């Protein structure tokens, strides 16, 4: 079993940057895909970015493209989300998630970390 813990959220001014971290503990698999999702008040949870654990191939939502960078450190069992040029619309709870492969659903989730971007 794998558990995920997010950190790094906080309050930042528009145009600023934050780096979110997601640490995995318990049984981990090098074949796991990792992803970041977010949920704003009154909105459905939406995909932000993903990265394969074995090869580091990244994918981004249109809202994150050219502003956010997802990366990983396999030695630390940690995935990161570098968030640049933040906008007030980026305000949300950000969640880390894991899945066994592209053919599986994200079934393991962290508790979330709040990101608030002021105008």
């Amino acid at each position: 079993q794998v558990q995920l813990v997010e950190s790094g959220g906080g309050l930042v001014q528009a145009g600023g940057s934050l780096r979110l971290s997601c640490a995995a503990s318990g049984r981990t698999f090098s074949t796991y895909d990792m992803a970041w999702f977010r949920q704003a008040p009154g909105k459905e949870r939406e995909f932000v970015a993903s990265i394969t654990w074995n090869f580091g191939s990244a994918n981004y939502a249109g809202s994150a493209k050219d502003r956010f960078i997802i990366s990983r450190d396999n030695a630390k069992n940690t995935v990161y989300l570098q968030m640049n040029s933040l906008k007030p619309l980026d305000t949300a709870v950000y969640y880390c998630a894991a899945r066994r492969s592209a053919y599986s659903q994200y079934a393991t989730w962290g508790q979330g970390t709040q990101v608030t971007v002021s105008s």
Side-chain angles (χ1 to χ4, degrees):
Q1 299 292 333
V2 177
Q3 62 181 41
L4 307 174
V5 179
E6 302 98 330
S7 62
L11 176 64
V12 64
Q13 293 182 334
S17 298
L18 285 173
R19 189 185 73 162
L20 307 184
S21 299
C22 173
S25 62
R27 178 66 189 273
T28 59
F29 296 92
S30 62
T31 54
Y32 275 9
D33 289 347
M34 305 295 296
W36 289 95
F37 292 77
R38 68 187 183 187
Q39 187 168 21
K43 301 291 186 179
E44 297 293 325
R45 184 156 48 197
E46 65 175 345
F47 170 81
V48 177
S50 65
I51 186 168
T52 63
W53 203 246
N54 273 345
F55 305 109
S57 299
N59 190 36
Y60 298 92
S63 60
K65 185 175 180 292
D66 300 324
R67 296 192 299 126
F68 297 177
I69 301 171
I70 188 169
S71 61
R72 62 172 179 166
D73 186 335
N74 288 340
K76 295 181 179 180
N77 290 326
T78 301
V79 63
Y80 303 95
L81 185 67
Q82 178 66 46
M83 309 168 67
N84 301 314
S85 301
L86 284 162
K87 306 173 182 178
L89 288 176
D90 294 318
T91 295
V93 177
Y94 283 70
Y95 297 91
C96 181
R99 68 181 182 186
R100 291 286 287 109
S101 76
Y103 305 101
S104 304
Q105 289 188 279
Y106 288 100
T108 302
W109 297 83
Q111 84 291 341
T113 185
Q114 176 71 47
V115 172
T116 302
V117 184
S118 62
S119 60

